Amino acid sequence: MTSDRSSSPARAGLPGPRGLATPYRMTVTTALPHADAVALADQRLAAWLKHEGCEEPPPAAHRSVAAEAAEVPAERLRLGDRVMLDRDGGPLRGGPGAGRYDRRRLRTPAPHGTHQLTLTTATGGDGRTWVRLEAETHTTGTGVRTPCRVPVPELARSLLPLLDATDGPAAVQSAPRVLTAAEVDGLIDALCDPERRLPVVVASVPVNHDLDSWVEDVVRPLCRQLPGLATAYVLDPGARTEFNVALEYHTVYGGAVRTYQPEVDPASRSDGARHPVLARHRIEEDLRRAAGLLAREPRRLAAELPLPAPLAAVPVLRVPATAARPGTGPEDATARAERAALAHEEQQDHAEQQARADELERVRHSLRRERRRGRRVPSAADEPPGGSVTGPRRGVQSRGPAGRLCAGPGSAGRRPAAPGAASRPGSPGSPGAPGFPAVPDSFTELMARLDEFPLLTFTGDQKSALALDDLRCAGAGWARLTWGGLTSLQEYAEAAVRGEAGGDFKQWCEHTPAGRHRFPPRKAVRGESRTVFSHTKWKRERILPVPECVDASRRAFMGAHLRIGGGRTAPRLHYLDDCSGSGRIYVGYIGLHLTNTRTN
């Protein structure tokens, strides 16, 4: 294969790029049983072959439970001129109980080579069924000009809705779905879900544009190359506002489209740079080109992500020694000899192919670890000698998102916490330590003991918190609930600075690890309502002090809050999660509910 600098005059005028077209790779899960998923895939594949004028393959032999524990030899079927279907299945590598797989590989002629479609269904020992569809083009000869990417196979478009395909908790659909404001929380949960593998594409609608026409005329054609590679959503005007209020560092608006990679950190300013934005003017300039640009990142991610364990345990395909053709008699001696020689040669390469496949998986895992490590907040590396290796703490310095040194909370007039105190329950100075009541009964005591939370910094006015003690009706209960919220925030921060929180604080509350304090998820709120955010005076009340390393203005909007009790005057705790920046959570306000429509 030659490069674009080929001097051949015969080829110089041909349109299109030279080289290997970017493959298509889809990896999803399905709730269907393994046998049902395989049968459905065979049915759709046979229907496509019939539509293309090829012979339909005979039904695959049903395997008994006993046969699934043994390796099943592959079979090769000739379904037409240069149309070959390979089928195999059996146990996954890893021994008994590892799971099972079924694979179909179809080869069809292309103008300058061969199209290859591989469909693999694998179910691990946990019963979870994975489906992977790969489409690639193998060119022959030199200087061949090919499309830059393999198009989305029609098989992918037809299979996705029938499989009820999912990526983590989110459904993988073949077309973008419009979301309302009530569905924004679910979208944010999907963005932050640690099990998500596929990118999420979120499209906005320009102001004063009709939603339905924008979706039909712009978003659907724009997402034409995304089925199986990403999940796509469109925010209606109400959803757009709620979404941008909740994710102030990852906003999308004005007709732009944003691609959210896995492991979104909604509290991180710097994380926003990982999620590219396709501006409206680029979309309207050339919709077809914009669709190609939008699909580039999902294709790259699909190629680089490690395979799920069941799919990685699928052995390399062993090419069968013979190829049967439905409805034909036995082959002559010459044909049999040729096929036997070919099979022998490919079987000799089997071990080498398996080794290369395993090495590729190791490289993918290594790349993923390196990228994750690069996104995590440095802890020991950015601390002065003698600093704790478990993360930033009071009395030391850490680097903010812009690289500026940020004085550790408590470094001015407060006693630094002992190294490791945050991670040793019951040690002196930690919540619940001997010499202190397990939980404070008043806000006066609570404020005096804030140093027990090394990764939390109170930046507000203590008067609003101390005034709660004057409300005797529920003061003690409020103080205990606030202490529980602070305890959960501290434990979440310890995990977040190590990159192990698995999402934001609300998700931490919903999936609190065993042995950790659980704060009620319904009392953890990601952001304020649209009304509060758009009201200048009410929003100003929630712009609270932060260190200069967090924001040069030393002020930041703290929409995230904890509900302390219920009712119009029930207290709130407002905070800013900056674990991915300075490595801390800043509590800017503890007191009665700030002004909104109910307190007005």
Side-chain angles (χ1 to χ4, degrees):
M1 187 177 297
T2 61
S3 69
D4 286 335
R5 294 189 295 270
S6 172
S7 58
S8 170
R11 297 180 186 122
L14 293 176
R18 289 190 182 93
L20 185 66
T22 304
Y24 171 89
R25 295 182 175 95
M26 176 188 84
T27 305
V28 297
T29 57
T30 176
L32 296 177
H34 181 97
D36 291 351
V38 173
L40 181 61
D42 283 343
Q43 178 188 3
R44 299 312 306 164
L45 186 59
W48 182 84
L49 285 167
K50 182 177 181 180
H51 181 267
E52 294 296 313
C54 302
E55 298 180 28
E56 290 189 58
H62 176 71
R63 295 201 310 273
S64 65
V65 176
E68 292 172 4
E71 184 175 355
V72 179
E75 60 176 336
R76 169 165 287 180
L77 305 172
R78 186 191 297 272
L79 304 177
D81 184 26
R82 295 175 57 199
V83 178
M84 306 286 288
L85 176 64
D86 297 326
R87 301 192 296 203
D88 73 329
L92 297 175
R93 292 181 299 151
R100 55 182 289 201
Y101 78 95
D102 282 273
R103 173 170 43 203
R104 309 291 183 257
R105 186 179 73 177
L106 177 68
R107 291 183 173 182
T108 55
H112 298 288
T114 303
H115 292 311
Q116 178 172 292
L117 189 72
T118 306
L119 179 62
T120 307
T121 306
T123 302
D126 59 356
R128 194 176 187 184
T129 300
W130 293 84
V131 178
R132 181 170 175 86
L133 180 63
E134 301 172 86
E136 44 198 336
T137 301
H138 301 293
T139 58
T140 58
T142 57
V144 175
R145 293 182 182 270
T146 63
C148 61
R149 63 178 63 86
V150 176
V152 177
E154 285 303 317
L155 184 61
R157 301 184 192 276
S158 63
L159 270 181
L160 281 174
L162 298 176
L163 288 172
D164 292 331
T166 58
D167 174 41
V172 181
Q173 299 167 330
S174 56
R177 185 165 73 91
V178 178
L179 298 184
T180 63
E183 298 171 292
V184 167
D185 270 352
L187 173 59
I188 295 174
D189 287 342
L191 291 179
C192 301
D193 192 279
E195 294 187 5
R196 178 168 67 90
R197 293 172 52 90
L198 302 184
V200 172
V201 172
V202 179
S204 60
V205 180
V207 178
N208 299 327
H209 274 65
D210 179 68
L211 172 66
D212 293 335
S213 62
W214 182 261
V215 171
E216 194 64 32
D217 299 338
V218 178
V219 180
R220 286 185 181 275
L222 187 66
C223 297
R224 181 69 182 169
Q225 300 180 28
L226 296 183
L229 298 172
T231 53
Y233 301 96
V234 184
L235 302 176
D236 73 6
R240 182 194 64 230
T241 302
E242 294 291 336
F243 183 84
N244 290 334
V245 168
L247 296 181
E248 55 181 320
Y249 307 134
H250 302 74
T251 56
V252 60
Y253 52 86
V257 176
R258 191 160 193 172
T259 302
Y260 295 89
Q261 296 197 45
E263 300 177 357
V264 171
D265 185 349
S268 170
R269 290 175 174 83
S270 58
D271 181 69
R274 288 200 305 119
H275 313 287
V277 178
L278 187 59
R280 175 187 173 186
H281 72 88
R282 298 200 68 178
I283 297 172
E284 294 180 325
E285 282 175 2
D286 190 336
L287 187 58
R288 183 176 179 181
R289 176 175 173 79
L293 292 174
L294 187 63
R296 183 181 298 171
E297 188 65 13
R299 291 226 177 199
R300 181 196 66 79
L301 194 63
E304 294 182 0
L305 268 182
L307 291 174
L311 288 171
V314 173
V316 171
L317 176 66
R318 291 182 180 271
V319 177
T322 60
R325 179 164 185 154
T328 63
E331 296 177 308
D332 58 34
T334 303
R336 286 198 300 271
E338 289 177 355
R339 299 214 174 274
L342 177 61
H344 178 68
E345 182 179 338
E346 292 196 8
Q347 286 172 353
Q348 285 183 328
D349 293 336
H350 179 266
E352 183 179 347
Q353 293 173 4
Q354 189 68 68
R356 287 200 299 266
D358 293 341
E359 178 62 24
L360 177 59
E361 277 307 294
R362 285 192 288 270
V363 170
R364 286 170 172 164
H365 280 284
S366 177
L367 285 173
R368 191 181 194 189
R369 285 194 298 268
E370 288 299 322
R371 286 180 175 169
R372 278 179 168 177
R373 190 176 297 118
R375 294 200 302 267
R376 291 178 185 177
V377 181
S379 53
D382 284 343
E383 291 191 25
S388 169
V389 298
T390 60
R393 65 179 193 277
R394 296 181 183 272
V396 300
Q397 291 181 322
S398 64
R399 293 191 182 273
R404 298 189 299 270
L405 284 174
C406 177
S411 58
R414 287 187 180 180
R415 169 182 55 81
S423 59
R424 295 198 306 269
S427 61
S430 66
F436 287 106
V439 178
D441 291 326
S442 68
F443 283 94
T444 301
E445 181 184 353
L446 183 148
M447 300 304 293
R449 294 173 55 187
L450 285 178
D451 277 335
E452 298 178 24
F453 301 102
L455 299 185
L456 307 186
T457 303
F458 183 74
T459 62
D461 187 347
Q462 293 194 19
K463 293 179 181 178
S464 57
L466 298 178
L468 297 175
D469 285 338
D470 296 333
L471 302 175
R472 299 299 181 185
C473 58
W478 286 345
R480 288 192 290 269
L481 187 56
T482 304
W483 184 262
L486 293 170
T487 302
S488 290
L489 284 170
Q490 166 66 27
E491 292 175 344
Y492 159 76
E494 292 172 11
V497 296
R498 297 192 300 268
E500 300 171 359
D504 61 4
F505 180 64
K506 183 174 180 64
Q507 285 189 299
W508 175 270
C509 294
E510 292 171 344
H511 307 285
T512 306
R516 300 287 187 167
H517 179 82
R518 184 178 185 275
F519 189 77
R522 61 185 179 83
K523 293 184 176 292
V525 183
R526 286 193 173 103
E528 291 287 6
S529 66
R530 174 184 176 182
T531 303
V532 170
F533 191 79
S534 59
H535 194 291
T536 303
K537 180 177 179 296
W538 298 351
K539 180 178 179 180
R540 189 184 303 120
E541 289 183 6
R542 292 155 175 84
I543 298 178
L544 300 163
V546 293
E548 186 178 4
C549 68
V550 176
D551 194 291
S553 67
R554 300 194 179 190
R555 310 281 289 182
F557 179 75
M558 297 191 186
H561 60 273
L562 307 184
R563 294 171 176 158
I564 311 299
R568 293 187 176 183
T569 61
R572 295 292 187 266
L573 183 154
H574 286 258
Y575 67 92
L576 176 68
D577 181 354
D578 196 46
C579 289
S580 60
S582 59
R584 290 173 171 78
I585 291 176
Y586 298 93
V587 179
Y589 178 82
I590 301 175
L592 291 177
H593 200 310
L594 294 173
T595 309
N596 67 2
T597 53
R598 294 185 178 182
T599 60
N600 209 14

